[in-house]
Amino acid sequence: MTTWTARAETAADVAAIRGIVLAAFPTAEEADLVDALRADPDAWIEGLSLVAQAPDGTLVAHALLTRCHVDGEPALALAPCAVLPAHQRTGAGSVAVRAALDAARALGENLVLVLGHAGYYPRFGFTPASRFGVRAPFEVPDEAMMAMALDDSRPVPTGTIRYAGAFGV
Ligand SMILES: CC(C)(COP(=O)(O)OP(=O)(O)OC[C@H]1O[C@@H](n2cnc3c(N)ncnc32)[C@H](O)[C@@H]1OP(=O)(O)O)[C@@H](O)C(=O)NCCC(=O)NCCS
């Protein structure tokens, strides 16, 4: 079993990250989204683009948190998460996601939102966003729009999510 380690992306990782995202998804949409988010200073937060690497330094997974808002209050959107197909289901995605959440907590962030597989994200602590009174700005199955608070003792805003412009929603 490979031991994946996570770290924040550096400028030298940009091309490899694009390669991972292109390989993980059927179209270039998500890879273009990552690049558009990186170019948007209102969305991009230094240190919240995480990669997981093999012991030899090869990058295999990427998880990205960018700025979004709920009721005008800052929150984070986890999207996309991508793992090279040959290394999926080996824990690399989880290592990248957990590192991203830890980095966000260290920055004092709280509410994190993710639209994704209801079979995957609950392991990190995500539950349906509707339980927080948070809604997607589009029609989506309740269980697919998930949220978590990094610090349960803090209040979270309620309302509709406003994604960064790069999401085009
Ligand atoms: C989804 C993804 C990021 C998960 O990362 P990963 O490294 O493969 O997953 P991990 O090894 O950390 O975790 C494995 C677990 O995830 C589950 N999982 C993986 N892909 C899944 C999917 N598409 N739907 C539901 N569960 C999934 C596995 O069933 C496994 O569950 P188990 O631990 O209960 O057996 C990765 O498989 C990927 O890049 N997929 C293609 C792109 C994609 O769909 N991204 C997510 C967009 S929301």
Side-chain angles (χ1 to χ4, degrees):
M1 232 182 77
T2 311
T3 304
W4 309 115
T5 49
R7 59 174 176 78
E9 84 162 49
T10 68
D13 300 324
V14 169
I17 290 171
R18 186 169 170 85
I20 292 168
V21 183
L22 280 173
F25 290 94
T27 73
E29 203 179 318
E30 283 79 8
D32 291 345
L33 171 64
V34 172
D35 289 338
L37 287 165
R38 195 183 282 109
D40 178 357
D42 293 331
W44 192 261
I45 300 171
E46 215 52 50
L48 296 188
S49 174
L50 277 290
V51 293
Q53 63 183 23
D56 71 359
T58 310
L59 302 193
V60 298
H62 176 240
L64 179 61
L65 289 166
T66 55
R67 176 66 70 221
C68 66
H69 292 83
V70 173
D71 191 29
E73 297 288 326
L76 294 172
L78 174 58
C81 297
V83 180
L84 282 180
H87 299 291
Q88 288 177 5
R89 303 191 177 219
T90 64
S94 295
V95 164
V97 170
R98 289 209 170 87
L101 296 172
D102 287 346
R105 194 179 286 106
L107 289 178
E109 296 287 340
N110 193 22
L111 181 62
V112 184
L113 303 156
V114 66
L115 175 61
H117 308 295
Y120 186 57
Y121 293 99
R123 71 192 62 204
F124 306 109
F126 287 95
T127 58
S130 57
R131 292 196 201 163
F132 289 84
V134 173
R135 290 177 301 277
F138 39 74
E139 283 298 313
V140 60
D142 187 63
E143 70 275 10
M145 188 74 244
M146 291 169 270
M148 76 179 280
L150 298 172
D151 177 352
D152 282 328
S153 70
R154 284 165 58 188
V156 296
T158 62
T160 303
I161 303 161
R162 179 164 55 81
Y163 283 97
F167 284 90
V169 293

